[in-house]
């Protein structure tokens, strides 16, 4: 972990550096103004930054604005450490996206919990020898072979949180699947049938040579009975465990954990299904209609949009956006108000989008509660006029397309981000939406 | 020995190690001396923005050693000038004097810590 401490106060830098090095395995770079900070950020790769606000040459706010404009640093976690108590400044910083805001002086009691929290959600460092090795991700599937259905199901469920998984119940099936797929990482378990683990590993390595998949990684699934010679066949091993927590930890070096949406998907793996279920209930109730998923384009156009935030487990903020096409928004508004569709106004459509987003969020909230997940609808709907909606980037969110039977299309966007503790409901509550 | 301008107990409790505390207090002491002389120059020149900027810096430095009176005075100047209240600058001589007292007390404390080692 490499941390930048940027503060013009020498004693604060000293205190913070000591706190960091005492409690975390980390290296630290330091500077006393925003210009130096940007120079260092351009040269070095930091896990996060501790940033003062008021500094000579360039303020922390200016640094943060520039960081958020750059694709390379827009997600770089920043904890602001300042003695500026101005509410406008704090709100502006939160809007720019900071992990936390801590008032000076730097005291362990205040700062350590924030640091621990941030460090706990940082992507784990990869050992140098693992750099560049294949990992399971959204674009790189993993192949799992194990004859035990229960274990395979458990393992696949865990791995699917990070990307596509091909599962096979025998060594022969695994060879065929490997040939027909782009998999570059294969997890080899037990009970493989005629083509056992040893033969499978040999054949996979031969196949790799033929089709140029030089970076193939073969991972053995092992338990306490596995002997050393078996383990030595593999590039790496992970425990063949039925304990999901243990598997979760063990799989980290073999998967890509990209962004908050992926982290969120570990808590709620079926978020998209929950949204679809909620939409089915809402539109069944409103219009006595069914909804079905459709594939959204990279950019969709909405006549009416609205959004609402939900805080989940004090860790994530899920921003749910409802983007309704003109046909869907008009049909729902006409049904709700009893008006002739030709008389439905833009305002009516915006109201409908607000209503739908509130109802969807209420359903999601109820679903989370049923699962004993702590959730809180923390920001009210901000109705807008519609416009273009882009597909979120991988790991940052989802855009779900839905068709209402006989009543047009609408889209639900889900954007996840890590919550900053300052986002208490009292501070972020917006005016309540107007309901139809 | 009790100190008036800062809370030695709080600082010891926060950082624990006497050598760390000495280093931290030494940094604050050195910085305060520089801030006091800059503050004097800026105030004499009527450069209120510079007065405010240094008062803000003093607030940060003094906070590290729990020097509450200095922090309060520096905050009053920083916040007042930030809000356009030029009268707030009239407290600058008091802040310079308070910085001097704090600097002296830290010096005595450092000496005492050195003798204890």
């Amino acid at each position: 972990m490499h941390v930048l401490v940027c503060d013009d106060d020498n004693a604060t830098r000293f205190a913070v550096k000591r706190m960091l090095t005492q409690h975390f395995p980390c290296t630290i770079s330091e500077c006393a103004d925003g210009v130096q900070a940007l120079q260092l950020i351009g040269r070095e790769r930091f896990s996060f930054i501790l940033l003062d606000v008021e500094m000579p040459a360039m303020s922390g706010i200016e640094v943060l604005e520039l960081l958020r404009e750059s694709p390379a640093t827009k997600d770089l976690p920043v904890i602001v450490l300042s003695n500026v108590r101005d509410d406008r400044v704090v709100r502006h910083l939160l809007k720019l996206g900071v992990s936390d805001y801590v008032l000076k002086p730097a005291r362990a009691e205040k700062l350590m919990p924030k640091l621990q929290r941030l460090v706990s959600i940082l992507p784990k460092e990869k050992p140098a020898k693992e750099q560049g090795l294949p990992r399971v991700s959204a674009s790189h599937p993993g192949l799992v072979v194990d004859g035990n259905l229960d274990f395979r199901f458990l393992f696949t469920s865990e791995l699917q949180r990070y990307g596509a998984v091909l599962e096979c119940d025998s060594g022969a099936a695994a060879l065929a699947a490997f040939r027909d797929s782009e998999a570059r990482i294969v997890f080899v378990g037990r009970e493989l049938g005629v083509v056992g683990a040893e033969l499978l590993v040999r054949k996979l390595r031969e196949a790799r040579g033929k089709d140029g998949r030089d970076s193939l990684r073969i991972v053995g699934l092992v338990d306490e009975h596995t002997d050393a010679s078996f383990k030595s066949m593999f590039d790496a091993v992970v425990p063949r465990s039925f304990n999901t927590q243990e598997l979760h930890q063990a799989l980290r070096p073999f998967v890509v954990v990209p962004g908050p949406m992926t982290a969120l998907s570990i808590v709620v793996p079926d978020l998209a299904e929950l949204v679809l279920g909620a939409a089915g209930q809402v539109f069944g109730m409103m219009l006595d209609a069914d909804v079905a998923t459709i594939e959204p384009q990279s950019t969709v156009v909405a006549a009416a949009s609205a959004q609402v935030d939900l805080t989940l487990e004090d860790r994530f903020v899920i921003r749910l956006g409802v983007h309704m096409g003109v046909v869907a928004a008009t049909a729902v508004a006409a049904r709700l108000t009893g008006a002739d569709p030709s008389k439905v106004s833009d305002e009516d459509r915006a109201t409908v989008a607000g209503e739908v987003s509130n109802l969807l969020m209420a359903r999601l909230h109820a679903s989370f509660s049923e699962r004993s997940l702590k959730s809180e609808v923390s920001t009210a709907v901000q109705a807008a006029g519609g416009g273009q909606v882009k597909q979120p980037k991988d790991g940052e969110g989802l855009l779900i397309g839905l068709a209402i039977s006989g009543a047009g299309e609408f889209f639900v966007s889900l954007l996840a981000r890590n919550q900053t503790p300052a986002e208490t409901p009292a501070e972020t509550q917006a005016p309540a939406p107007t309901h139809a | 020995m009790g100190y008036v301008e800062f809370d030695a107990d709080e600082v010891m409790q926060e950082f624990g190690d006497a050598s760390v505390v000495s280093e931290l207090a030494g940094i604050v002491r050195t910085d305060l001396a520089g801030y006091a002389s800059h503050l004097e120059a800026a105030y004499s020149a009527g450069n209120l923005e510079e007065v405010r900027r240094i008062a803000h810096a003093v607030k940060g430095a003094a906070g590290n050693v729990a020097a509450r009176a200095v922090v309060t005075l520096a905050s009053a100047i920083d916040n007042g000038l930030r809000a356009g209240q030029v009268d707030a600058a009239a407290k600058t001589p008091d802040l310079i004097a308070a910085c001097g007292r704090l600097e002296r007390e830290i010096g005595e404390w450092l000496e005492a810590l050195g003798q204890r080692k």
Side-chain angles (χ1 to χ4, degrees), chain A residues 122-399:
Chain A
L122 287 175
K124 294 287 174 282
E125 300 265 320
K126 308 165 189 78
K129 64 176 183 177
E130 287 179 4
Q131 299 280 1
L133 290 175
R135 288 160 181 264
V136 175
S137 68
S139 53
H140 293 95
L143 198 156
V144 178
V145 51
D146 197 294
N148 183 308
L149 177 63
D150 291 337
F151 175 74
R152 207 171 63 241
F153 176 77
L154 182 78
F155 190 85
T156 302
S157 303
E158 191 60 39
L159 202 56
Q160 272 173 337
R161 293 175 175 183
Y162 306 98
V165 180
L166 304 161
E167 54 173 314
C168 301
D169 60 359
S170 69
L175 273 178
F178 180 74
R179 217 174 29 231
D180 298 338
S181 75
E182 293 293 312
R184 285 171 181 267
I185 179 162
V186 182
F187 296 89
V188 178
R190 292 207 317 233
E191 302 170 39
L192 305 187
V194 178
V195 179
E198 197 175 340
L199 180 57
L200 174 62
V201 169
R202 198 171 73 233
K203 289 288 179 190
L204 286 172
R205 293 203 200 284
E206 284 172 14
R208 172 187 61 178
K210 282 179 195 158
D211 70 5
R213 266 185 273 191
D214 292 333
S215 56
L216 174 67
R217 198 175 185 192
I218 305 176
V219 182
L221 302 167
V222 301
D223 56 26
E224 66 273 21
H225 306 300
T226 309
D227 61 42
S229 67
F230 183 84
K231 287 181 187 171
S232 67
M233 291 193 304
F234 302 104
D235 300 318
V237 292
V238 296
R240 190 172 181 277
S241 170
F242 282 81
N243 179 328
T244 50
Q245 199 63 34
E246 190 181 1
L247 269 184
H248 177 69
Q249 289 298 325
L251 284 175
R252 292 299 287 258
F254 306 101
V255 297
V256 174
V257 184
M261 197 67 189
T262 305
L264 173 62
S265 74
I266 294 168
V267 181
V268 191
D270 56 346
L271 185 58
E273 287 80 5
L274 281 181
V275 170
L276 185 60
Q281 289 177 333
V282 167
F283 283 93
M285 193 173 70
M286 276 182 165
L287 298 179
D288 196 20
D290 294 327
V291 292
T293 50
I294 55 171
E295 191 64 37
Q297 304 291 317
S298 58
T299 303
V300 299
V301 179
S305 288
Q307 62 191 29
V308 57
D309 284 0
L310 177 140
T311 308
L312 185 67
E313 295 283 272
D314 295 328
R315 280 180 62 198
F316 304 104
V317 177
I318 305 171
R319 172 156 292 176
L320 179 141
V322 166
H323 316 282
M324 303 195 73
V326 67
V327 176
T330 305
V332 180
R335 174 67 66 94
L336 290 180
T337 60
D340 186 296
S342 63
K343 304 275 194 248
V344 169
S345 66
D346 288 345
E347 194 183 334
D348 295 334
R349 284 186 273 269
T351 303
V352 160
E355 179 79 353
V356 171
S357 65
N358 270 338
L359 289 170
L360 284 181
M361 195 51 110
R363 294 279 162 185
L364 281 183
H365 182 56
S367 300
F368 294 147
S369 298
E370 284 166 15
R371 297 176 182 196
S372 303
L373 293 171
K374 186 183 166 195
S375 69
E376 191 174 352
V377 179
S378 54
T379 304
V381 171
Q382 300 161 346
Q388 288 195 332
V389 184
K390 288 186 176 171
Q391 283 271 15
K393 287 180 186 163
D394 277 350
E396 292 179 2
L398 300 170
L399 184 63

Side-chain angles (χ1 to χ4, degrees), chain B residues 23-42:
Chain B
E23 197 171 343
L24 177 88
I27 295 169
V28 174
R29 186 184 177 210
T30 308
D31 286 351
L32 280 175
Y35 291 147
S37 80
H38 283 120
L39 206 48
E40 201 159 9

Side-chain angles (χ1 to χ4, degrees), chain A residues 9-10 18 54 83 108, chain B residues 14 20 31 52 56 64 82:
Chain A
D9 182 46
N10 297 320
R18 183 169 182 276
E54 185 161 336
N83 54 24
Chain B
E14 172 69 22
V20 174
D31 286 351
R52 189 205 65 73
H56 180 86
N64 289 300
R82 206 185 282 268

